[in-house]
Amino acid sequence: MAKKSMIQREIKRKELALKYCDKRQDIKNSIKISTNFEANIKLQQTLQKIPRNSLSCRKRNRCWMTGRSRGFYRDFGLSRHVLREMAHSCLLPGIKKSSW
């Protein structure tokens, strides 16, 4: 089980990313359009003032059951431990234990 603080940090990052998404995109579009060098620098400074945690790449995939961030399977939204337990107890349809 992940620490509560780590899970809350991820929730905060998700909210910040949604909050600043439009603002960040507007500034980036105006940087592309801008031809004046001084104005471009001003726009870059305003872009840097936006919180770092509002970037979408700072979000981390976590297991919805345990909150574990490593060994995460995107198809199921689960970590490898929980996936294995659920597969053994036949809670995931179509998943079989392989043996060779």
Side-chain angles (χ1 to χ4, degrees), residues 16 20 24 46-55 58:
L16 278 174
Y20 287 103
R24 182 182 301 278
T46 56
L47 189 63
Q48 288 177 352
K49 288 181 183 176
I50 296 175
R52 285 186 181 169
N53 280 337
S54 67
L55 286 167
R58 304 254 316 191

Side-chain angles (χ1 to χ4, degrees), residues 63-65 71-73 76-80 82-83 86 92:
C63 174
W64 62 268
M65 206 166 188
F72 179 80
Y73 286 90
F76 303 100
L78 297 169
S79 64
R80 59 188 173 90
V82 179
L83 180 77
M86 290 179 80
L92 297 174

Side-chain angles (χ1 to χ4, degrees), residues 34-92:
S34 176
T35 57
N36 188 359
F37 183 71
E38 288 82 18
N40 203 351
I41 290 176
K42 283 275 191 191
L43 289 169
Q44 288 285 345
Q45 288 173 347
T46 56
L47 189 63
Q48 288 177 352
K49 288 181 183 176
I50 296 175
R52 285 186 181 169
N53 280 337
S54 67
L55 286 167
S56 61
C57 65
R58 304 254 316 191
K59 291 186 285 186
R60 180 98 183 188
N61 290 329
R62 291 194 172 269
C63 174
W64 62 268
M65 206 166 188
T66 60
R68 183 179 166 87
S69 63
R70 296 182 181 219
F72 179 80
Y73 286 90
R74 286 185 189 176
D75 296 335
F76 303 100
L78 297 169
S79 64
R80 59 188 173 90
H81 301 291
V82 179
L83 180 77
R84 186 170 189 267
E85 289 173 9
M86 290 179 80
H88 282 301
S89 57
C90 300
L91 295 175
L92 297 174

Side-chain angles (χ1 to χ4, degrees), residues 4-14 53:
K4 300 277 184 189
S5 60
M6 297 303 288
I7 295 172
Q8 290 302 317
R9 191 180 299 167
E10 289 297 323
I11 292 170
K12 184 179 176 184
R13 283 181 180 152
K14 188 181 291 186
N53 280 337

